[in-house]
Amino acid sequence: MLSITLEQLRCRFGEVVAVDGVDLVVPAGSLAFLLGPSGCGKTTVLRMIAGLQEPDAGRVRFGDRDVTHLPAERRNAGMVFQGYALWPHMSVRDNVAFGLDVRRVQASERTTRTREALEMVRMEAFADRKPGQLSGGQQQRVALARALAFRPEVLLLDEPLSNLDARLRLEMREEIRRICREVGITAVYVTHDREEALSLADLVVVMRDGRIEQRGAPEDVYRRPASRFVASFMGETNLVPGEVSTSDAHGSMLRTVACTLESATSGLRPGARITLAIRPESLRLSASGPISGRCTASSYLGERARHLVDTPLGTLVVFEADPRASNRVGETLRLDVDRDAVVALPD
């Protein structure tokens, strides 16, 4: 297994800076997700790793090997595309074997590797079918088998599940994680779907305007966002304006519009303007909660309900787990929140 290292990677398209000084280390054997909105540079980074886009500056290394200027076919990187890119006139078996043919692998070895790759993705029973006879999920399995058949050192996936329906996406998430673990390969996966990243990643890298905004374990990026952008992009959140009213060695008191919340944040100057990020699931309905407000909208979602509550802090989104009432509109609700669920972000 090899690590992937990016050093001050830059790329421009005319006057547009697509990637601006990206530094990143993907540890060997891990599954890293590049996550961000359209146009943030994540696909361009992936293409530079694959050798499909030449960087204007910086380096790409696989382990200790500098591959920055190597052509794609010499990098030993498997690529899975969003649109499958299967040959419609070829059988499943021949599609998987195609990359081995290009590499002039001997016939007996080609047969063995093709069979093993199809077994890995559980598609050996469909080897004689054409891609047009397969479902979207099955076609994506074939594309994955083709990328793995020549035993690449790294695996690169460009929004591979975006064309699938919700049920198939969930099924393929588990398959991709299983296969990456079984093969023991280092993988980089591009998506704009935060649920894919949170459910699969060892490392989440959130990008914005060609730069890395935050990187870390999924739970850290979700629960401890480093900026308003990350807090909002990683899921619905309440952003409450506030300021530091006192500061000591034990933490800071954060004064909001009408009540005080304490956050385990040290080193903030009294009077500093900040924003409090509070996830909707962190707000709990409580008879003695310090935050009170009137519910103006309710949506029943089965395992939870989503409420909008007008409070002195502004309108807060609240998730109620396992709701007993499907509609709380008009009710006065009291809310509580744990101090470690409140994240203080600089303005």
Side-chain angles (χ1 to χ4, degrees):
M1 292 187 289
L2 295 177
S3 62
I4 300 172
T5 303
L6 311 181
E7 299 174 351
Q8 284 294 296
L9 212 56
R10 288 181 169 83
C11 183
R12 301 174 65 98
F13 298 112
E15 297 300 315
V16 177
V17 179
V19 177
D20 188 11
V22 165
D23 287 306
L24 179 66
V25 176
V26 180
S30 64
L31 178 53
F33 271 67
L34 302 182
L35 183 66
S38 297
C40 72
K42 57 187 186 294
T43 297
T44 302
V45 169
L46 191 77
R47 288 175 59 82
M48 287 191 285
I49 296 172
L52 301 175
Q53 176 65 48
E54 183 79 8
D56 294 314
R59 291 176 178 239
V60 179
R61 289 192 287 114
F62 291 175
D64 295 328
R65 185 164 59 110
D66 189 334
V67 300
T68 309
H69 301 295
L70 282 181
E73 64 271 16
R74 293 181 56 196
R75 296 196 183 198
N76 200 23
M79 186 85 176
V80 180
F81 297 95
Q82 178 179 346
Y84 315 139
L86 301 177
W87 297 105
H89 63 285
M90 290 184 179
S91 68
V92 164
R93 180 184 292 105
D94 289 341
N95 265 283
V96 173
F98 180 77
L100 300 172
D101 290 338
V102 171
R103 289 168 174 79
R104 302 183 185 278
V105 175
Q106 290 186 351
S108 59
E109 179 70 9
R110 184 169 66 243
T111 299
T112 298
R113 291 196 191 185
T114 299
R115 185 186 68 251
E116 290 175 350
L118 286 171
E119 289 174 352
M120 192 179 302
V121 300
R122 299 169 180 167
M123 286 293 293
E124 62 271 23
F126 300 86
D128 294 319
R129 293 194 187 182
K130 299 290 178 59
Q133 298 173 301
L134 305 177
S135 69
Q138 289 170 333
Q139 289 184 61
Q140 194 57 277
R141 288 171 185 265
V142 175
L144 186 57
R146 181 182 57 192
L148 293 169
F150 66 90
R151 298 173 185 171
E153 294 176 304
V154 301
L155 180 64
L156 308 174
L157 305 105
D158 186 11
E159 301 198 44
L161 308 184
S162 61
N163 291 331
L164 305 181
D165 63 35
R167 182 185 64 81
L168 283 175
R169 280 202 304 271
L170 186 61
E171 177 184 311
M172 282 303 298
R173 283 181 201 169
E174 298 305 319
E175 284 298 287
I176 287 172
R177 186 164 186 85
R178 174 186 67 80
I179 290 165
C180 287
R181 291 290 179 266
E182 287 182 2
V183 175
I185 197 168
T186 307
V188 179
Y189 188 125
V190 161
T191 185
H192 62 271
D193 187 329
R194 69 177 184 87
E195 287 192 3
E196 283 182 21
L198 291 173
S199 63
L200 293 178
D202 299 307
L203 174 67
V204 170
V205 181
V206 182
M207 294 191 63
R208 181 189 188 191
D209 297 333
R211 297 174 179 267
I212 293 176
E213 190 88 357
Q214 187 173 353
R215 75 198 78 192
E219 59 272 22
D220 292 336
V221 174
Y222 181 77
R223 292 180 57 84
R224 312 302 296 181
S227 67
R228 292 169 62 102
F229 171 80
V230 174
S232 297
F233 187 82
M234 292 305 295
E236 198 163 15
T237 192
N238 296 291
L239 297 174
V240 180
E243 68 179 54
V244 178
S245 59
T246 64
S247 182
D248 56 38
H250 302 291
S252 301
M253 297 297 295
L254 305 174
R255 185 173 63 245
T256 59
V257 176
C259 70
T260 299
L261 297 173
E262 186 173 14
S263 173
T265 306
S266 60
L268 295 177
R269 294 179 293 100
R273 299 299 303 173
I274 58 170
T275 296
L276 304 180
I278 309 172
R279 296 287 183 197
E281 65 271 20
S282 297
L283 289 162
R284 302 186 306 276
L285 275 58
S286 170
S288 58
I291 306 169
S292 178
R294 181 176 177 273
C295 182
T296 60
S298 283
S299 300
Y300 181 71
L301 304 174
E303 75 279 4
R304 68 184 185 187
R306 180 183 183 275
H307 307 302
L308 295 182
V309 184
D310 282 348
T311 76
L313 306 178
T315 300
L316 299 180
V317 181
V318 180
F319 291 162
E320 180 185 4
D322 192 21
R324 294 294 183 259
S326 60
N327 193 334
R328 292 186 178 274
V329 173
E331 293 185 31
T332 297
L333 303 179
R334 299 193 71 88
L335 308 173
D336 202 356
V337 61
D338 292 334
R339 69 173 63 182
D340 61 1
V342 180
V343 180
L345 304 173
D347 259 12

